[in-house]
Amino acid sequence: MAGVFAAMLWGFHAMILHHAPDMFRAPQEDMSFGWYVPLFSLYVVWTERRKILDSLGAPSWAGLLAALPFLALGFLGVRGVQLRFEIVAFVGLLITVPWAFFGKETAKSVLFPALFLLFCIPLATFLDVVTVHLRLLASSTAFAVARGVGANIVQQGTMVGAADGSFAIDVADPCSGLRSLFALMALTAGYAYFTQPTWLRRGILFAASVPIAILGNVMRILTIVLVANFASSDFATGFYHDYSGFVVFAVAILLMVATGMVATGELVTRIFEKGDDAGDQRGQTPLAKPLGSDPMVSQLSTFNSKLIPVPALVVLLVVPMMFFQAATPDVTVAEAPNVHLADIPGFSSEVLEPSEAELTVLPSDTVIEKRRYVADSGDWMVVSLVVGGRSKSSIHRPELCLPAQGLRMERPRTRSVAGRDWRFIDLASKDSPTFGFAYTFFNQDGFKTASHVSRIFRDVLDRSVLNRIDRWVMVTVNASRSDDAGLAALLSRLDLERSSAK
């Protein structure tokens, strides 16, 4: 098994040395706590090494079968450069390989330190919809409370500012509270594992970390708004903004410890005190005795006579796959589709410049074109064409940024227009009438979809099987018409078929 684990380290070396560290350093993920997650997992394994050794038993065919889907996921993750797939596959193999070699009890003994590594998965951009709602929750709560104590402020989407324009505070992604939520969840999981005697109590304490982290971030945003309104906006958005996070997180930790001592130490004990001891005995299978005892000798005899093919098959399956993953050649980048926004008969048009956010946030090899079209009838549409580069972050789901702009999304649906699927959404805000919005994706091979999930899976397959980075194009349209027929009539005038590679 040491040889199998060494092969896994080699097969996942790109994840360990490059993909995960790059994501930990990425400002859009803000995962500085991720560096400490594997260290804590190793600490748990070391402190419980006796328990792990005592659990060693006979090999298991079930463990071998359970390892197969994680091998496949690892193949797609490593070759497709999908860090989330890589981490899930790696964690799954850390559990299923010991299960195949030494049985179910060994898998149970390494379950927690292995699953703890899932906190290395970057989720800020993956859970972007949650991020937007956390931002709206923090800004709306801060606005309501501050107005209640006499602050003369206004709110627009995730922005809270003074009515006279003296200050404006936008609750951006890093201030959504998602980073502190994941960090506190990881901290609470480790704290609960070592301080609580049963999985029930650990689960209660772990669940309590979610509202504690959300409440702490809401209070932080509220205090920033109050300081900016009643004291100094420069101080609030400068020194206080930078260091208030440490104070809030310290308070959250104290609440976590208090919750562990009071809720799980007192309340849960009173509720479950009659069933705890019996539950512990019923819920835990006795571990195998140490090597050298008579029962273990019997198990090893079974291992030698009947189950030796299991670890042998694990080696034959895992080791070649890991070396194949490690020897993957560099991916090639496909040529960009030859597609541009052109004039449309019956419409006047003007070229629009990309926004400052688009120029600074998107990777440098991203190509952006924008035009505004106005028909003689008065109908209009603003079209953005984004051609992605080598980085996957060039293309995103438009649902990420729309709510943060104070827009309300209504009636999302998929419609086919001129042989191409589009995602239709009605957009509304309190200061403007409802207007139409639509988006679609396609790549250099002409693969068309309006589904972000479908696009992601196509990209993973092309990267893993064809060893190629696709050049995706995202087309978004803001339009004066929101009804399906009217919006479809406008979209049908766009010429997007010139998508063959140069």
Side-chain angles (χ1 to χ4, degrees), residues 145-445:
V145 175
R147 282 291 295 268
V149 297
N152 186 19
I153 57 176
V154 294
Q155 180 188 7
Q156 178 67 35
T158 58
M159 187 277 295
V160 178
D164 60 4
S166 59
F167 72 88
I169 299 171
D170 183 28
V171 184
D173 283 344
C175 294
S176 66
L178 209 59
R179 176 187 64 169
S180 57
L181 174 60
F182 293 145
L184 190 64
M185 288 174 66
L187 188 63
T188 304
Y191 175 76
Y193 183 76
F194 281 111
T195 61
Q196 304 305 315
T198 67
W199 284 107
L200 173 63
R201 299 186 184 191
R202 293 167 182 167
I204 292 175
L205 181 54
F206 180 73
S209 66
V210 177
I212 289 175
I214 294 176
L215 177 62
N217 188 66
V218 169
M219 294 304 298
R220 179 191 177 213
I221 300 301
L222 171 61
T223 57
I224 292 175
V225 172
L226 292 176
V227 171
N229 186 80
F230 294 109
S232 167
S233 60
D234 292 337
F235 176 75
T237 57
F239 181 86
Y240 185 79
H241 171 275
D242 295 339
Y243 291 95
S244 59
F246 295 102
V247 177
V248 171
F249 196 73
V251 173
I253 293 175
L254 292 176
L255 288 174
M256 175 196 73
V257 175
T259 302
M261 296 174 61
V262 177
T264 59
E266 299 292 337
L267 180 61
V268 176
T269 297
R270 294 180 182 179
I271 296 176
F272 296 98
E273 59 183 354
K274 295 182 180 180
D276 260 0
D277 295 336
D280 287 348
Q281 295 175 1
R282 289 193 303 267
Q284 298 180 4
T285 304
L287 298 176
K289 294 182 180 180
L291 292 173
S293 63
D294 291 340
M296 181 56 69
V297 171
S298 175
Q299 285 184 332
L300 292 178
S301 177
T302 304
F303 171 91
N304 291 327
S305 62
K306 296 180 180 180
L307 295 173
I308 189 65
V310 175
L313 284 174
V314 172
V315 173
L316 290 176
L317 288 171
V318 176
V319 174
M321 179 68 77
M322 294 298 105
F323 276 88
F324 181 75
Q325 288 180 179
T328 299
D330 291 337
V331 291
T332 59
V333 182
E335 284 193 87
N338 182 19
V339 58
H340 300 280
L341 296 177
D343 291 331
I344 300 176
F347 285 77
S348 62
S349 68
E350 63 172 319
V351 176
L352 303 178
E353 295 298 325
S355 66
E356 182 179 353
E358 290 170 327
L359 294 175
T360 56
V361 173
L362 295 178
S364 58
D365 60 352
T366 305
V367 178
I368 307 173
E369 287 190 36
K370 302 176 73 173
R371 278 204 181 205
R372 178 182 176 89
Y373 298 92
V374 181
D376 295 337
S377 62
D379 287 333
W380 57 266
M381 56 180 173
V382 176
V383 184
S384 295
L385 186 150
V386 179
V387 182
R390 187 180 185 90
S391 172
K392 300 189 300 293
S393 61
S394 297
I395 307 294
H396 67 282
R397 285 187 298 132
E399 288 90 342
L400 284 180
C401 49
L402 296 176
Q405 298 171 13
L407 297 171
R408 186 173 66 254
M409 296 184 296
E410 299 175 345
R411 296 197 313 130
R413 66 269 187 203
T414 300
R415 297 288 184 265
S416 180
V417 179
R420 187 187 300 274
D421 284 344
W422 290 81
R423 188 68 170 169
F424 284 14
I425 302 175
D426 294 347
L427 296 182
S429 69
K430 60 183 180 181
D431 298 326
S432 66
T434 300
F435 59 94
F437 180 81
Y439 67 85
T440 190
F441 308 103
F442 61 92
N443 68 358
Q444 75 287 335
D445 284 343

Side-chain angles (χ1 to χ4, degrees), residues 74-126:
F75 172 80
L76 294 176
V78 171
R79 291 176 60 87
V81 197
Q82 289 290 331
L83 178 60
R84 299 179 185 95
F85 288 2
E86 292 179 277
I87 294 177
V88 171
F90 187 73
V91 170
L93 290 174
L94 289 179
I95 298 170
T96 56
V97 168
W99 184 3
F101 266 81
F102 300 115
K104 180 173 63 176
E105 293 306 319
T106 302
K108 288 182 179 180
S109 66
V110 299
L111 185 63
F112 176 78
L115 290 180
F116 193 80
L117 292 173
L118 294 178
F119 284 111
C120 288
I121 297 178
L123 292 175
T125 53
F126 183 72

